Amino acid sequence: MTRPAAKLARFAAALALSGCAALPVAPPLSSRAAGEAFRDCPDCPEMVVIPPGRFVMGTADEETDRWEGGRESPRHTVTIPYPFAIGRYEPSGPGRAGVEGRGNRVAA
């Protein structure tokens, strides 16, 4: 068992022995359908499941509607080996301020 997994197991055991109510646990992403929207908690952002798969990222050199500076090349295959979730909407309000506060820029 990995160190984080062992710590989590000890925490779960302590929680169970203490008589505390179990914390709600979201089902694993593998049990959700591609494109399914969900929230981990009532105040959490809405997330959407992205399925595993492959796609080609970038544009062909001969394409006329390319961004300047070569930011869209070279074309390459991207493999997503397992499902993941991404926010349905861009960060706004306090969430956006938190992202920008760490030196990141959120495109408008």
Side-chain angles (χ1 to χ4, degrees):
M1 189 178 314
T2 65
R3 181 171 284 180
K7 287 175 109 176
L8 183 60
R10 285 194 303 273
F11 173 75
L15 188 64
L17 293 174
S18 71
C20 293
L23 298 173
V25 176
L29 290 176
S30 58
S31 69
R32 297 186 182 275
E36 178 182 347
F38 68 95
R39 293 176 190 269
D40 283 333
C41 69
D43 295 328
C44 291
E46 187 173 358
M47 306 293 281
V48 177
V49 177
I50 306 298
R54 292 179 176 203
F55 66 94
V56 176
M57 177 182 271
T59 57
D61 291 335
E62 59 275 0
E63 221 172 290
T64 58
D65 193 24
R66 291 172 51 99
W67 287 58
E68 293 181 29
R71 296 187 305 184
E72 296 181 1
S73 43
R75 286 186 82 166
H76 59 284
T77 300
V78 175
T79 301
I80 300 173
Y82 46 84
F84 71 96
I86 190 167
R88 178 176 290 251
Y89 307 103
E90 73 177 78
S92 62
R96 182 180 184 124
V99 169
E100 291 175 336
R102 291 192 300 268
N104 299 305
R105 185 172 155 257
V106 178

